[in-house]
Amino acid sequence: MNKITLKPDFLKVAVYPANLLTVIEKTDEGQVKLSGAEGDFMDAVLSAVGFRYELLIPSDGEWGRLLNGNWTGMIGEVVNKRADLAWTWLSVNEERQQVVDFSTSYYFEKTTFGVVKPVPMTTAETIFYPFHLSLWICLFAIIIAMPVMFLLMKIRCSFFRLFLNVLGSVLKQPFMVKYSTEKVKILLVWWLIFTTLMTSFYSSVLLSFLTKPIGQGYVKNIRELSDAVQKGKIKCLAARGSVTFSYLLDSEEDHLRILGETMIRNSWYSTGMYEDVPTTTDENFAVVISDIFLERKNNMPGSRFLIISDDNFFANNIAVAMRKDFCCKEKLNNMITRAIDSGLTDYYLKKYVKGLDREQNEEQIIKPLSLSDISGAFYILLVGLLMSAITLLIEIYRDRRKRKALVVVSAKKL
C-alpha cells in the first residue's frame, strides 16, 4: 500500500487514482498536488470543513468488494480502520452499507454499457447488399424462367440465346429476338417494366451505400449483450471490484447471472476507461460503466466511437464511505450538501469528465469514388473474364479433338 502525505495530523482518505477523477502528482518542490473531478471536490469540501488529510492508495487497485470474507480496495481500507474515509466515485449498495456508512449522495449515476461501433461493411460486399438473399434467388429464378415462357409461346430461338437476351435486358440492353405475336409483345412489355423498376431500385440503394458506408449490426440492449457474450461474438468488460459484478451475480435474471459469471471466468476487467486516453483497440467489445464516462470517451479525438445503449443495468448514488465510528459525519454531510447546492459537483464534472464538446457524430468528408469503393464491380469482371478464359480453353481443346477425329476417319477411308 502506497502512502502519500499532504499535511501532518490529518484524516486518512483512501482513493482510487484515475486521471479523470483523482489525479495525484508531485510538484518540483516535492509537494503533492491533487486534481481531477473527485480530487478537486474532495479537497474543497475537506478544506472547508477544516480537515487536513493524507491519501491512501489500496495496493490491490480496487473500489471495494467482498472477496473470500474480506473486503478489498477502498472499502477494505475503511473496514480495517486504515482509513477514515473512502472517496473516489463509490456506489452505494446494501452490501457495502453493512460495513461502512455513506455520506450524503453528491451524484446519481446510471450504469449502462457501450459497444464499439462496428467497422463499416467493405464496399466490395455492398454490391450484393441492396437486395436480400431471398430476393436475389427470386430474381435469378425469374431470369431462368423467362426464356422458358418465351419458348412456350413458340418463339423460334434456342434457350441459351433467349437466356442471354433476358439477362441483357436486365442490364438495359435491347431484346434482340424476332417476335410477331401480340402475346409475346405484351409479355415483353411487362418484363421490360419489371426490369426497369428493379434496376432503378438496385441503383438507388447501391448509390446510397457508396455515399455513406453502412455499419454492421451491433447489440442494442442487455439481453442481446448477454446472448452475444454466450455465443462468443463479443466480450464484455467492467472495472475490477465494481458493484457491477455483485449486481450481475446476485440477479434473479438468468441472462444477467450468466453474463456476470462469464465476465469473471474470463477475467474481463476494463482498464483505461477512467483514464484520459482514447480507446484505440480493434477488438469487438462492450464495457459496463457510468454513461458519463462513455460520453467522455466519445468526445476524445482519435477514440473509437462507443454506441451507448438506452438500456440501464442499474442506477446508483455516489457518496463518500465513512467508518462506522467516524466522529464528524454530520459536519461532513452538511458541507457536501452545501457544495451540491452551490453547483460545485457539476462544475468539476464538467471541467474534467464532460470537458470536451466535440460533436459525437463523425464528420462526413466528401471525396471522389476510389478503386476500393467500386472493387465489387471489378471482382465480377474478373470472375467473368476467368470463366470466359476457361470456356475458351475448353472450346480449343474440343476443337483439337474434333480435328484429330476427322483426321483418323479420313485416314481409315484412305
Side-chain angles (χ1 to χ4, degrees), residues 20-73:
L20 299 177
L21 298 173
T22 309
V23 182
I24 305 170
E25 298 175 328
K26 284 189 176 181
T27 64
D28 295 336
E29 293 78 17
Q31 296 180 341
V32 173
K33 180 182 178 182
L34 186 63
S35 60
E38 286 279 60
D40 283 0
F41 181 66
M42 179 180 69
D43 184 68
V45 171
L46 293 183
S47 297
V49 177
F51 289 145
R52 294 179 297 178
Y53 56 91
E54 77 172 359
L55 305 180
L56 301 178
I57 304 174
S59 57
D60 55 14
E62 295 192 7
W63 268 265
R65 56 174 171 152
L66 190 59
L67 182 64
N68 299 325
N70 297 312
W71 281 92
T72 65

Coordinates of all heavy atoms in Angstrom, one line a residue, residues 20-73:
L20 N -9.3 11.0 -14.7 CA -10.4 11.9 -14.8 C -10.9 12.3 -13.4 O -11.6 13.3 -13.2 CB -11.5 11.3 -15.6 CG -11.2 11.0 -17.1 CD1 -12.4 10.3 -17.7 CD2 -10.8 12.3 -17.8
L21 N -10.7 11.4 -12.4 CA -11.3 11.5 -11.1 C -10.4 12.0 -10.0 O -10.6 13.1 -9.5 CB -12.0 10.2 -10.7 CG -13.1 9.7 -11.6 CD1 -13.5 8.3 -11.2 CD2 -14.3 10.6 -11.6
T22 N -9.4 11.2 -9.8 CA -8.4 11.6 -8.7 C -7.0 11.5 -9.3 O -6.5 10.4 -9.5 CB -8.6 10.6 -7.5 OG1 -9.9 10.5 -7.1 CG2 -7.7 11.1 -6.3
V23 N -6.4 12.6 -9.5 CA -5.1 12.7 -10.1 C -4.1 13.2 -9.0 O -4.3 14.2 -8.4 CB -5.0 13.7 -11.3 CG1 -3.6 13.7 -11.9 CG2 -6.0 13.3 -12.3
I24 N -3.1 12.4 -8.7 CA -2.1 12.6 -7.7 C -0.8 12.9 -8.3 O -0.2 12.0 -9.0 CB -2.0 11.5 -6.7 CG1 -3.4 11.2 -6.1 CG2 -1.1 11.8 -5.5 CD1 -3.5 9.9 -5.3
E25 N -0.2 14.1 -8.2 CA 1.0 14.5 -8.8 C 1.9 15.1 -7.7 O 1.4 15.8 -6.8 CB 0.8 15.4 -10.0 CG 0.0 14.8 -11.1 CD -0.3 15.8 -12.2 OE1 -0.4 17.0 -11.8 OE2 -0.3 15.4 -13.3
K26 N 3.2 15.0 -7.9 CA 4.2 15.7 -7.1 C 4.8 16.8 -7.9 O 5.2 16.7 -9.0 CB 5.3 14.7 -6.6 CG 4.9 13.8 -5.5 CD 6.0 13.0 -5.0 CE 5.6 12.1 -3.8 NZ 6.8 11.4 -3.2
T27 N 4.9 18.0 -7.3 CA 5.4 19.2 -7.9 C 7.0 19.1 -7.8 O 7.5 18.2 -7.1 CB 4.9 20.4 -7.2 OG1 5.4 20.5 -5.9 CG2 3.4 20.5 -7.2
D28 N 7.6 20.1 -8.5 CA 9.1 20.1 -8.4 C 9.6 20.4 -7.0 O 10.7 20.1 -6.6 CB 9.6 21.2 -9.4 CG 9.3 20.9 -10.8 OD1 9.1 19.7 -11.1 OD2 9.2 21.8 -11.6
E29 N 8.8 21.0 -6.2 CA 9.2 21.3 -4.8 C 8.9 20.2 -3.9 O 9.2 20.3 -2.7 CB 8.4 22.6 -4.3 CG 8.7 23.9 -5.0 CD 8.0 24.0 -6.3 OE1 7.1 23.2 -6.6 OE2 8.5 24.8 -7.1
G30 N 8.4 19.0 -4.4 CA 8.2 17.8 -3.6 C 6.8 17.8 -2.9 O 6.5 16.9 -2.2
Q31 N 6.0 18.8 -3.2 CA 4.6 18.8 -2.6 C 3.7 18.0 -3.5 O 4.0 17.8 -4.7 CB 4.1 20.2 -2.5 CG 4.9 21.1 -1.5 CD 4.4 22.5 -1.5 OE1 3.6 22.9 -2.3 NE2 4.7 23.2 -0.4
V32 N 2.6 17.5 -2.9 CA 1.7 16.7 -3.6 C 0.5 17.5 -4.1 O -0.1 18.3 -3.3 CB 1.2 15.5 -2.7 CG1 0.0 14.8 -3.4 CG2 2.3 14.6 -2.4
K33 N 0.2 17.4 -5.3 CA -0.9 18.2 -5.9 C -2.0 17.2 -6.3 O -1.8 16.2 -7.0 CB -0.4 18.9 -7.2 CG -1.5 19.8 -7.8 CD -1.0 20.4 -9.1 CE -2.1 21.2 -9.8 NZ -1.6 21.9 -11.0
L34 N -3.2 17.5 -5.8 CA -4.4 16.7 -6.0 C -5.3 17.4 -7.0 O -5.6 18.6 -6.8 CB -5.1 16.4 -4.7 CG -6.3 15.5 -4.7 CD1 -5.8 14.1 -5.1 CD2 -7.0 15.4 -3.4
S35 N -5.8 16.7 -8.0 CA -6.7 17.3 -9.0 C -7.6 16.2 -9.5 O -7.7 15.1 -9.0 CB -5.9 17.9 -10.2 OG -5.1 17.0 -10.9
G36 N -8.4 16.5 -10.6 CA -9.4 15.6 -11.1 C -10.8 16.0 -10.5 O -10.8 16.8 -9.5
A37 N -11.8 15.5 -11.1 CA -13.2 15.9 -10.6 C -13.4 15.6 -9.2 O -13.9 16.4 -8.4 CB -14.2 15.2 -11.5
E38 N -13.0 14.3 -8.8 CA -13.2 13.9 -7.4 C -12.1 14.6 -6.5 O -12.4 15.0 -5.3 CB -13.1 12.4 -7.3 CG -14.3 11.7 -7.8 CD -15.4 11.6 -6.8 OE1 -15.9 12.7 -6.4 OE2 -15.8 10.5 -6.4
G39 N -10.9 14.7 -7.0 CA -9.8 15.3 -6.2 C -10.1 16.7 -5.8 O -9.9 17.1 -4.6
D40 N -10.5 17.5 -6.8 CA -10.8 18.9 -6.5 C -12.0 19.1 -5.6 O -12.0 19.9 -4.7 CB -11.1 19.7 -7.8 CG -9.8 20.0 -8.6 OD1 -8.7 19.7 -8.1 OD2 -9.9 20.6 -9.7
F41 N -13.0 18.2 -5.8 CA -14.2 18.3 -5.0 C -13.9 17.9 -3.5 O -14.3 18.5 -2.6 CB -15.3 17.4 -5.6 CG -16.6 17.4 -4.8 CD1 -17.4 18.5 -4.7 CD2 -17.1 16.2 -4.1 CE1 -18.6 18.6 -4.0 CE2 -18.2 16.2 -3.4 CZ -19.0 17.4 -3.4
M42 N -13.1 16.8 -3.4 CA -12.8 16.4 -2.0 C -11.9 17.4 -1.3 O -12.2 17.7 -0.1 CB -12.0 15.1 -2.1 CG -11.5 14.5 -0.8 SD -10.6 13.0 -1.0 CE -9.1 13.6 -1.8
D43 N -11.0 18.0 -2.0 CA -10.1 19.0 -1.4 C -10.9 20.2 -1.0 O -10.7 20.8 0.1 CB -9.0 19.4 -2.4 CG -8.0 20.4 -1.7 OD1 -7.3 20.0 -0.8 OD2 -8.0 21.6 -2.1
A44 N -11.9 20.6 -1.8 CA -12.7 21.8 -1.5 C -13.6 21.5 -0.3 O -13.7 22.4 0.6 CB -13.6 22.1 -2.7
V45 N -14.2 20.3 -0.2 CA -15.1 20.0 0.9 C -14.3 19.9 2.2 O -14.6 20.5 3.3 CB -15.9 18.7 0.6 CG1 -16.6 18.3 1.9 CG2 -16.8 19.0 -0.5
L46 N -13.2 19.1 2.2 CA -12.4 18.8 3.4 C -11.7 20.1 3.9 O -11.6 20.3 5.1 CB -11.4 17.7 3.2 CG -12.0 16.3 2.9 CD1 -10.9 15.3 2.8 CD2 -12.9 15.9 4.0
S47 N -11.3 20.9 3.0 CA -10.6 22.2 3.4 C -11.6 23.1 4.0 O -11.3 23.8 5.0 CB -10.0 22.8 2.2 OG -9.0 22.0 1.6
A48 N -12.9 23.1 3.5 CA -13.9 24.0 4.0 C -14.3 23.6 5.4 O -14.6 24.4 6.3 CB -15.1 24.0 3.1
V49 N -14.3 22.2 5.7 CA -14.6 21.7 7.0 C -13.5 22.0 8.0 O -13.7 22.1 9.2 CB -15.0 20.2 6.9 CG1 -15.2 19.7 8.3 CG2 -16.2 20.0 6.0
G50 N -12.3 22.1 7.4 CA -11.1 22.3 8.3 C -10.3 21.1 8.5 O -9.4 21.1 9.4
F51 N -10.5 20.0 7.7 CA -9.8 18.8 7.9 C -8.5 18.8 7.0 O -8.4 19.3 5.9 CB -10.6 17.6 7.4 CG -11.7 17.2 8.3 CD1 -12.9 16.8 7.7 CD2 -11.7 17.4 9.6 CE1 -14.0 16.4 8.5 CE2 -12.7 17.0 10.4 CZ -13.9 16.6 9.9
R52 N -7.4 18.3 7.7 CA -6.2 18.0 6.9 C -6.2 16.5 6.7 O -6.7 15.8 7.5 CB -5.0 18.5 7.7 CG -4.9 20.1 7.8 CD -3.7 20.5 8.6 NE -3.8 20.0 10.0 CZ -2.8 20.3 10.8 NH1 -1.7 21.0 10.5 NH2 -2.9 19.8 12.1
Y53 N -5.5 16.1 5.6 CA -5.7 14.7 5.3 C -4.4 14.1 4.6 O -3.6 14.9 4.1 CB -6.9 14.5 4.4 CG -6.9 15.3 3.1 CD1 -6.3 14.8 2.0 CD2 -7.4 16.6 3.1 CE1 -6.3 15.5 0.8 CE2 -7.4 17.3 2.0 CZ -6.9 16.8 0.8 OH -6.8 17.6 -0.3
E54 N -4.3 12.8 4.6 CA -3.4 12.1 3.8 C -4.1 11.1 2.9 O -5.2 10.7 3.3 CB -2.3 11.4 4.6 CG -2.7 10.1 5.3 CD -1.6 9.3 5.9 OE1 -0.4 9.8 5.8 OE2 -1.9 8.3 6.5
L55 N -3.5 10.7 1.8 CA -4.2 9.8 0.9 C -3.6 8.4 1.0 O -2.3 8.2 1.1 CB -4.0 10.3 -0.6 CG -4.5 11.7 -0.8 CD1 -4.2 12.1 -2.3 CD2 -5.9 11.9 -0.5
L56 N -4.4 7.4 1.0 CA -4.0 6.0 1.0 C -4.5 5.4 -0.3 O -5.7 5.5 -0.7 CB -4.6 5.3 2.2 CG -4.3 5.8 3.6 CD1 -5.0 4.9 4.6 CD2 -2.8 5.7 3.8
I57 N -3.6 4.7 -1.0 CA -3.9 4.1 -2.3 C -3.9 2.6 -2.1 O -2.9 2.0 -1.7 CB -2.9 4.4 -3.4 CG1 -2.8 6.0 -3.5 CG2 -3.3 3.8 -4.7 CD1 -1.7 6.4 -4.5
P58 N -5.1 1.9 -2.2 CA -5.1 0.5 -2.0 C -4.2 -0.3 -2.9 O -4.1 0.0 -4.1 CB -6.6 0.1 -2.3 CG -7.3 1.4 -2.1 CD -6.4 2.5 -2.5
S59 N -3.4 -1.2 -2.4 CA -2.4 -1.9 -3.2 C -3.1 -2.8 -4.2 O -2.5 -3.1 -5.2 CB -1.6 -2.8 -2.3 OG -2.3 -3.7 -1.5
D60 N -4.3 -3.3 -4.0 CA -5.0 -4.1 -5.0 C -5.7 -3.4 -6.1 O -6.2 -3.9 -7.1 CB -6.0 -5.1 -4.3 CG -7.0 -4.3 -3.5 OD1 -7.2 -3.1 -3.6 OD2 -7.7 -4.9 -2.6
G61 N -5.7 -2.0 -6.0 CA -6.3 -1.2 -7.0 C -7.8 -1.4 -7.3 O -8.2 -1.4 -8.5
E62 N -8.6 -1.6 -6.3 CA -10.0 -1.9 -6.4 C -10.8 -0.8 -5.7 O -10.3 -0.2 -4.7 CB -10.4 -3.3 -6.0 CG -9.7 -4.4 -6.8 CD -10.4 -5.7 -6.5 OE1 -11.4 -5.8 -5.8 OE2 -9.9 -6.7 -7.1
W63 N -12.1 -0.7 -6.1 CA -13.0 0.1 -5.3 C -13.4 -0.5 -4.0 O -13.4 0.1 -3.0 CB -14.3 0.4 -6.2 CG -14.2 1.6 -7.0 CD1 -14.7 2.9 -6.7 CD2 -13.6 1.8 -8.3 NE1 -14.4 3.8 -7.7 CE2 -13.8 3.1 -8.7 CE3 -13.0 0.9 -9.2 CZ2 -13.4 3.6 -9.9 CZ3 -12.6 1.4 -10.4 CH2 -12.7 2.7 -10.8
G64 N -13.8 -1.8 -4.1 CA -14.1 -2.5 -2.9 C -15.2 -3.5 -3.1 O -16.3 -3.2 -3.5
R65 N -14.8 -4.8 -2.8 CA -15.8 -5.9 -2.9 C -15.5 -6.9 -1.9 O -14.4 -7.0 -1.3 CB -15.7 -6.5 -4.3 CG -14.4 -7.0 -4.7 CD -14.3 -7.8 -6.0 NE -13.0 -8.1 -6.4 CZ -12.6 -9.1 -7.1 NH1 -13.5 -10.0 -7.5 NH2 -11.4 -9.3 -7.5
L66 N -16.5 -7.7 -1.6 CA -16.3 -8.8 -0.6 C -15.8 -10.0 -1.3 O -16.4 -10.6 -2.1 CB -17.7 -9.1 0.1 CG -17.6 -10.0 1.3 CD1 -16.7 -9.4 2.4 CD2 -19.0 -10.3 1.8
L67 N -14.5 -10.4 -0.9 CA -13.8 -11.5 -1.6 C -13.3 -12.4 -0.5 O -12.5 -12.1 0.3 CB -12.7 -11.0 -2.5 CG -11.9 -12.0 -3.3 CD1 -12.8 -12.7 -4.3 CD2 -10.7 -11.3 -3.9
N68 N -13.9 -13.7 -0.5 CA -13.4 -14.7 0.4 C -13.6 -14.2 1.9 O -12.7 -14.4 2.7 CB -12.0 -15.1 0.2 CG -11.8 -15.7 -1.2 OD1 -12.7 -16.4 -1.7 ND2 -10.7 -15.5 -1.8
G69 N -14.6 -13.5 2.1 CA -14.9 -13.0 3.5 C -14.2 -11.7 3.9 O -14.4 -11.2 5.0
N70 N -13.4 -11.2 3.0 CA -12.6 -9.9 3.3 C -13.0 -8.9 2.2 O -13.2 -9.2 1.1 CB -11.1 -10.2 3.3 CG -10.7 -11.2 4.4 OD1 -11.1 -11.0 5.5 ND2 -9.9 -12.2 4.0
W71 N -12.9 -7.6 2.7 CA -13.2 -6.5 1.8 C -11.9 -6.0 1.1 O -10.9 -5.9 1.8 CB -13.9 -5.4 2.5 CG -15.4 -5.6 2.7 CD1 -15.9 -6.2 3.8 CD2 -16.4 -5.3 1.8 NE1 -17.3 -6.3 3.7 CE2 -17.6 -5.7 2.5 CE3 -16.5 -4.7 0.6 CZ2 -18.9 -5.6 1.8 CZ3 -17.7 -4.5 0.0 CH2 -18.9 -5.0 0.6
T72 N -12.0 -5.8 -0.2 CA -10.8 -5.3 -0.9 C -10.9 -3.8 -1.1 O -11.9 -3.1 -0.8 CB -10.8 -6.0 -2.3 OG1 -11.9 -5.6 -3.1 CG2 -10.8 -7.5 -2.1
G73 N -9.9 -3.2 -1.7 CA -9.9 -1.9 -2.2 C -10.1 -0.8 -1.2 O -9.8 -1.0 0.0

